[in-house]
Amino acid sequence: MTVVPQVAGREISNPPSDGISNIRFSNHSDHLLVSSWDKSVRLYDVSTNVLRGEFMHGGPVLDCCFHDDSSGFSACADNTVRRLVFNYGREDVLGRHDAPVRCIEYSYATGQVITGSWDKTLKCWDPRGANGLIGTYTQPERVYSLSLVGNRVVVATAGRHVNVYDLRNMSQPEQRRESSLKYQTRCVRCYPYGTGYALSSVEGRVAMEFFDLSEAGQSKKYAFKCHRRSEAGRDIVYPVNAIAFHPVYGTFATGGCDGYVNVWDGNNKKRLYQYSKYPTSVAALSFSRDGRLLAIASSYTYEEGDKPHEPDSIFVRSVNEVEVKPKPKVYPNTTT
């Protein structure tokens, strides 16, 4: 494991003026979509460091995702789900929840928008229809995080519940699970190859989980400690806010309230890299579609209450292969 003696990356101009809730690279270009507690969703062209557009909302925006390269969807604390078309400066309300909308995903497999809310429901929407709501699915608790891979959606809620659905049959969860971590879930992200998911907690741990419920499948799961430091013989533990998988190598980055980004090889259970410390908490992470770039939101997440903190900022760094490529296992040479 190596610490990178490098600058944080290129800082994006005109960042949000309050906490950054999420950042997402487009699947088609180096466009970056950013949601914020300053009630905005912004679209940046990272290649030219230009703010391409901005939509203001009626409350803090808790999540966002792309539809295509110049349009997306937002999840807002004013309970609304919105479609945002940046090319034409047009927005419309897809629908509403009964409480703030915490997370949003667009399924390229089904053409649906999936939202999770603090009203303890998951909703599926058809953005093409006049009456967009497809269905409402009750969850055991408030939805904290959501992730898609293929036709699967993983829903992580308060109370450490995890529900796994097949989008083609939402009548009931495929699997009802409990987090294997003892503390509150902060983030869930599916493996890009579709076999399971990584889940992080507020207590400096990540669990690696698998969908296969057979004994052999479940024997692969494990959890590890991260985003911690020792001080005067005590372990200082930080929430793990963000997980992002590299689209080529399947390795993943985690971001924590300690201001660090770590890169992990989950298959070999190794930390590959740690980037230089960021000015404040790492609130969100996103790799570009080809894995060449990593966007980092350095944004205080109020884990220590209201206090003076560094300004909210977004850094984009070029990713070197050595930072994200799994290292081959070295076997002892048994030949004489």
Side-chain angles (χ1 to χ4, degrees), residues 23 39 46 49 56 60 62 64 71 78 80 83 85 121 142 144 163 166 180 192 214 223 262 268 270 279 284 301:
I23 54 178
K39 306 182 182 180
V46 166
N49 200 351
M56 298 305 294
L62 305 183
C64 61
S71 68
D78 69 0
T80 61
R83 179 196 351 234
V85 184
T121 70
R142 287 155 293 154
Y144 282 166
N163 280 345
D166 184 328
S180 52
S214 71
N262 295 314
N268 293 318
K270 280 190 167 55
T301 54

Side-chain angles (χ1 to χ4, degrees), residues 43-310:
L43 178 69
Y44 297 91
D45 185 340
V46 166
S47 57
T48 54
N49 200 351
V50 169
L51 175 63
R52 293 281 305 270
E54 178 181 26
F55 284 98
M56 298 305 294
H57 293 60
V61 188
L62 305 183
D63 199 6
C64 61
C65 66
F66 273 100
H67 181 207
D68 57 31
D69 210 33
S70 59
S71 68
F73 303 100
S74 62
C76 190
D78 69 0
N79 306 356
T80 61
V81 179
R82 292 171 187 265
R83 179 196 351 234
L84 313 170
V85 184
F86 286 89
N87 277 358
Y88 301 105
R90 194 180 74 236
E91 63 175 315
D92 53 272
V93 175
L94 272 188
R96 288 177 170 78
H97 279 266
D98 294 330
V101 191
R102 176 63 188 87
C103 29
I104 191 161
E105 294 284 346
Y106 178 69
S107 166
Y108 291 93
T110 65
Q112 296 176 24
V113 176
I114 298 98
T115 54
S117 166
W118 292 340
D119 68 5
K120 305 183 185 178
T121 70
L122 188 75
K123 289 180 186 275
C124 292
W125 312 85
D126 181 354
R128 298 157 299 193
N131 182 15
L133 184 63
I134 294 167
T136 300
Y137 311 98
T138 303
Q139 300 303 302
E141 250 293 355
R142 287 155 293 154
V143 178
Y144 282 166
S145 189
L146 190 60
S147 185
L148 294 181
V149 62
N151 286 301
R152 271 212 171 99
V153 56
V154 179
V155 188
T157 75
R160 300 171 42 253
H161 300 283
V162 179
N163 280 345
V164 181
Y165 287 90
D166 184 328
L167 282 170
R168 296 163 298 187
N169 177 17
M170 292 290 293
S171 54
Q172 61 180 17
E174 232 182 4
Q175 298 176 17
R176 287 185 175 90
R177 295 188 172 205
E178 188 177 81
S179 166
S180 52
L181 305 180
K182 281 192 289 192
Y183 293 88
Q184 179 185 306
T185 302
R186 187 51 68 93
C187 180
V188 66
R189 290 292 177 263
C190 292
Y191 306 155
Y193 31 89
T195 54
Y197 58 89
L199 180 144
S200 70
S201 80
V202 297
E203 189 257 342
R205 282 179 204 260
V206 172
M208 307 300 287
E209 301 282 356
F210 293 86
F211 295 130
D212 179 358
L213 294 175
S214 71
E215 199 175 325
Q218 290 304 296
S219 69
K220 296 181 197 166
K221 74 177 190 177
Y222 67 95
F224 63 94
K225 297 176 182 177
C226 52
H227 299 280
R228 295 160 176 246
R229 66 183 169 89
S230 288
E231 196 174 274
R234 278 189 333 125
D235 230 9
I236 312 292
V237 180
Y238 297 91
V240 184
N241 297 320
I243 302 169
F245 280 89
H246 192 273
V248 177
Y249 294 118
T251 51
F252 62 98
T254 58
C257 288
D258 56 353
Y260 282 102
V261 175
N262 295 314
V263 182
W264 308 90
D265 176 355
N267 290 335
N268 293 318
K269 302 183 182 179
K270 280 190 167 55
R271 181 161 72 174
L272 295 174
Y273 252 83
Q274 182 177 74
Y275 294 121
S276 309
K277 194 170 191 281
Y278 283 87
T280 183
S281 311
V282 175
L285 295 168
S286 183
F287 281 106
S288 60
R289 70 201 185 287
D290 52 11
R292 287 183 308 103
L293 301 173
L294 175 62
I296 298 113
S298 171
S299 181
Y300 179 53
T301 54
Y302 289 81
E303 64 279 1
E304 294 173 4
D306 201 356
K307 67 172 194 181
H309 57 86
E310 294 292 326

